[in-house]
Amino acid sequence: MRVRPRSAARARRLLSMGVALLLATGAVHGQPWRIDTAPGTPPLDANAQAASAQLVDMVLARLPPAWRAAEGLDVQLAWRDDLPPQVHGRAVGDRVLLRRALLDAVAADGLDARATRAASAALVHELAHRYDSSPHGGLSRDPRLRDLAGWPRPPLRLGLRARHNAMTDRRPDAYETASPAEFVAVNLEHFLLDPEYACRRPALHGYFAAHFAWAPPAADCAGDLPFVEAEPQAQAGGEALLELDPARVWAVEYLFAEGNAQPMSRWGHSMLRLVICAPGRLPGPDCRYDLAHHRVLSFRAFVDDVQISSLRGLTGRYPARLFVLPLDQVIDEYTRIELRGLQSIPLRLSPGEIATLLERAASVHWSYDGRYRFVDNNCAVETWKLLDAGVPRLDGARLRSITPNGLLRRLVRAGIADAAVLDPPDRAVRDGYYFPSADREYAALLAVAHAAQPLPARDVATWLDLDPDLRAPWLAQAGPRDGAALLVLEHAAHRRLEVRLRDVLKRRWRLAAAEQDAAANTLHALLAAGDGLSRPAQLLDRGYGLPQQAERATLRGQADALGHRLQALRDALEIQGRAALSMDAQRRLAATERNLATLGARLRELHRASGGLQLDRIQQSD
């Protein structure tokens, strides 16, 4: 069945293929199956009969040769006035029923682009149902098509497909997610009638082209893939739109954040690292040193929090999206804030497989708005689904796992991930395959400070959590060497405190929705801005699939403006939020900042004194 919602956006899209359709005239020869008039069809006048015949010939001329040559697909066509509202067509066995108003529009306007596009799409849609349900088709039952379409195999359902399709953004027609059969019919419309389909949905275009061993004429596609970065202010220039050329991606690595004591983080976190070569560098091993250009694909629950509610995570109340983040930000987040090590393990993928994986990642980035569930739709499951759909060779590798460390073991066992790069550890750190937790660095710094003074804490966590007023006396009497170590630790304590207090504020304002003040309003605006960057389809009001060049100018302006707004809101929240903290929280924050100022001043004084002593010694030696 074909349902057509009435929308201005669809009406505008109907114009896109009119000129091309005008070129498709004349009867199709060698057709083994026929489209006849169904018995009992209300009679058509001469003008309507001519329009119907011409429309049928045009559509048949656009079908793939293998489809036209297939046997047993005879169709009886009827133009009807009694279809339900918004239903443009139905396929019942060998009968195709189309809305009579579509034909009347073609007859009245000749080969008007809009009328012809609507009628052609309806006819292709119902013929696609006929083809798909025949022995020649079966596309909607193909596991590969269902993976690409958004009905993957959940890891805990014994191979059964998900009922809900979460690829809900940037769709050519919302009706496509009603069922796999409707998905096939909608997408065959665009495969045959829209030259930009190859650019907007490259993986699906490749699937249909392979099935039919044929493809219609296609538009020239851009060589890069568009992504919107979730943290644009972290990169030079603050540009949110990343236009990624797959040829510049030298390697893809499984980026594994090691677990910690938090319940939601015990089994680690799964991500993919893109080793992107700097502009001007030829792709090769040296691209590993271009860390500022590397990006991370990370499936996360959109909460804008360090820790999330266990109950909401279990029940799927958080949105799950594919974030694109700078590598240096991810390293800082895990190693210095959460004190977790990062393993970056190369995946054995060919350049062609890297390209198809990136195409899939871009499609998911623009279309997917799922629900995070701690057990069966977490970061490991999402990463596995991305690898499975993006690299067909991996489909039979038995990679399904519900834990990030389990997925890593399966990748290594299958020979896809090369864990040998982690040994020996010092070389792994030097070559950028391992980023150690800062707790080791902090422990070494604390040991330096402890050797100079008998500090009241033997481990880093205890020292960082100590009341800042209790740390102050030890900072005030530090020497040059232990003072430098304590300054780094005090910065870590300040950042750790800020993260915790920000989390407290967010939980407080979410639980007390009625409590409205300036900081609460800023928080809500901040979350809305973050939502826009994490779900980039919201930045464009038309089009489907990957944004094309005509859309990117608008996209670039919208994304950059939202990125700047996000940073401004964060700055405002930092100021406004302090006033909403408890008196003790405000005191601890102020005391930590006072410690930083005091220790910084002392180190500068010690440096000047040391410099003066050196100058005196030089003058005496002269």
Side-chain angles (χ1 to χ4, degrees), residues 64 68 120 144 179 205 263 331 361 368 378 565 586:
R68 294 200 305 263
S120 298
R144 172 66 178 162
S179 69
H205 180 274
I331 293 173
Y368 180 69
N378 54 36
R565 174 170 170 75
Q586 293 185 48

Side-chain angles (χ1 to χ4, degrees), residues 17-28 50-63 68 106 111 116 120 124 192-193 214 216-217:
M17 279 305 301
V19 174
L21 285 172
L22 287 169
L23 302 177
T25 58
V28 177
S52 179
Q54 190 171 26
L55 180 69
V56 167
D57 283 348
M58 291 174 63
V59 167
L60 291 178
R62 286 189 165 273
L63 298 185
R68 294 200 305 263
V106 173
L111 291 179
T116 303
S120 298
V124 169
L192 296 174
L193 302 179
W214 171 91

Side-chain angles (χ1 to χ4, degrees), residues 27-57:
V28 177
H29 300 287
Q31 176 82 19
W33 53 274
R34 303 187 310 277
I35 298 181
D36 298 323
T37 301
T41 300
L44 302 175
D45 59 32
N47 190 31
Q49 288 181 18
S52 179
Q54 190 171 26
L55 180 69
V56 167
D57 283 348

Side-chain angles (χ1 to χ4, degrees), residues 59 398 545 604:
V59 167
R398 297 181 178 273
R604 287 191 295 272

Side-chain angles (χ1 to χ4, degrees), residues 247-251 275-277 281-290:
R248 287 180 52 214
V249 180
W250 168 246
V275 180
I276 304 174
C277 305
R281 187 191 294 278
L282 293 176
D286 286 348
C287 295
R288 295 197 56 78
Y289 301 111
D290 299 329

